[in-house]
Amino acid sequence: MLDDFLIRAALAGVGLSLATGPLGSFVVWRRMAYFGDATAHAAILGVALALAFDLPVTFGTLVVALAMAVTVATLAARGWAMDTTLGVLAHSALAFGLVAVSFVPGARTDLSAWLFGDILAVSRADLAYVWGGAAVVLALLAWRWQALLTTTLNEDLAHASGLDPARERLILTVALAVVVAVAIKVVGALLIAALLIIPAAAARGLSRTPERMAVLATLLGAGAALAGLQLSLWQDTPAGPSIIAAAAILFALSAMFGRVRRG
């Protein structure tokens, strides 16, 4: 019989994958990897502010991640050089967050959990946040799926179809902020972007349609979460990094399979 904390951890990993699979596909298609990093790194500042003002950590990370995502999206729309801008914002947000955490009594000892995740300590309330956040992200993406695909394919085509690319970017921005807020307890701020990108990248070479890629990315993400938990229990390794390591192995296997299939 599995212990309750293992069941909660497995459910958290699977629930998070429901959101990171389809959203990660858009991150890969739109080359938003560094955008995800900047948003995730800003979450540490949200953790510090939430602890300082005795607010729910999920709320604090959501507000700060959303503020960072909107800032980046606004600068991108104004033509700023994104590689440099994202580099400055991502590392500055992480640095300010780490400095702010140092002023919060008792927070230093818990810092590694926010940086690398602590999925084995997920509570029932955390589980509700994860599945609730995943439901919000899935609803947003399902609602605007075709519009998001059209905008991703070609913004001129989106304009011709009566769509507003800026609005679609905002929807992705909100979805990304929600994922960051609910994922920080599972894999930590430093690894959220990896959970978005790696399963989607693994699914890309095995899929012929966007819908199949999103579904396969979800399955690979869930498989990586369960395999990472098993590795963590088996070898006593950190759970968050173990999940990302399992995802990386799945990516390598998918790349080899894709090469054999093409050959």
Side-chain angles (χ1 to χ4, degrees):
M1 187 85 177
L2 289 176
D3 292 328
D4 283 347
F5 79 94
L6 288 177
I7 295 174
R8 289 196 300 270
L11 288 174
V14 172
L16 185 58
S17 299
L18 292 175
T20 58
L23 182 59
S25 298
F26 280 105
V27 170
V28 170
W29 292 330
R30 298 173 72 101
R31 300 179 181 178
M32 295 170 60
Y34 217 171
F35 184 98
D37 264 334
T39 307
H41 288 176
I44 290 297
L45 180 58
V47 170
L49 294 176
L51 294 175
F53 292 99
D54 198 24
L55 296 171
V57 170
T58 302
F59 175 77
T61 54
L62 177 61
V63 170
V64 174
L66 186 58
M68 172 62 80
V70 170
T71 299
V72 171
T74 301
L75 294 178
R78 293 182 179 180
W80 285 51
M82 276 297 95
D83 55 345
T84 302
T85 302
L86 285 171
V88 171
L89 290 177
H91 296 100
S92 298
L94 180 60
F96 277 111
L98 294 175
V99 170
V101 165
S102 69
F103 289 103
V104 180
R108 290 188 181 185
T109 57
D110 298 326
L111 188 57
S112 63
W114 302 114
L115 289 173
F116 301 106
D118 191 6
I119 191 173
L120 296 178
V122 167
S123 65
R124 293 185 179 180
D126 295 327
L127 202 55
Y129 281 125
V130 169
W131 279 83
V136 169
V137 170
L138 285 175
L140 279 174
L141 296 181
W143 173 46
R144 302 301 299 172
W145 181 262
Q146 196 57 52
L148 287 168
L149 285 178
T150 302
T151 305
T152 300
L153 180 64
N154 190 304
E155 291 199 357
D156 291 333
L157 177 61
H159 279 297
S161 302
L163 300 173
D164 182 2
R167 181 180 62 186
E168 308 310 324
R169 282 195 298 269
L170 180 60
I171 289 171
L172 284 179
T173 296
V174 171
L176 186 60
V178 172
V179 166
V180 167
V182 300
I184 191 168
K185 184 67 175 289
V186 178
V187 292
L190 298 184
L191 301 174
I192 293 171
L195 191 60
L196 282 165
I197 296 163
I198 297 176
R204 188 174 194 174
L206 305 175
S207 307
R208 295 185 180 274
T209 66
E211 291 79 11
R212 181 174 178 179
M213 177 173 165
V215 171
L216 188 54
T218 300
L219 294 175
L220 289 173
L226 297 177
L229 282 173
Q230 181 61 44
L231 175 63
S232 177
L233 292 171
W234 180 37
Q235 294 293 330
D236 195 26
T237 56
S242 296
I243 291 172
I244 303 306
I249 293 172
L250 290 176
F251 171 78
L253 292 174
S254 71
M256 288 188 292
F257 178 77
R259 179 171 295 183
V260 169
R261 189 175 63 173
R262 287 191 299 269

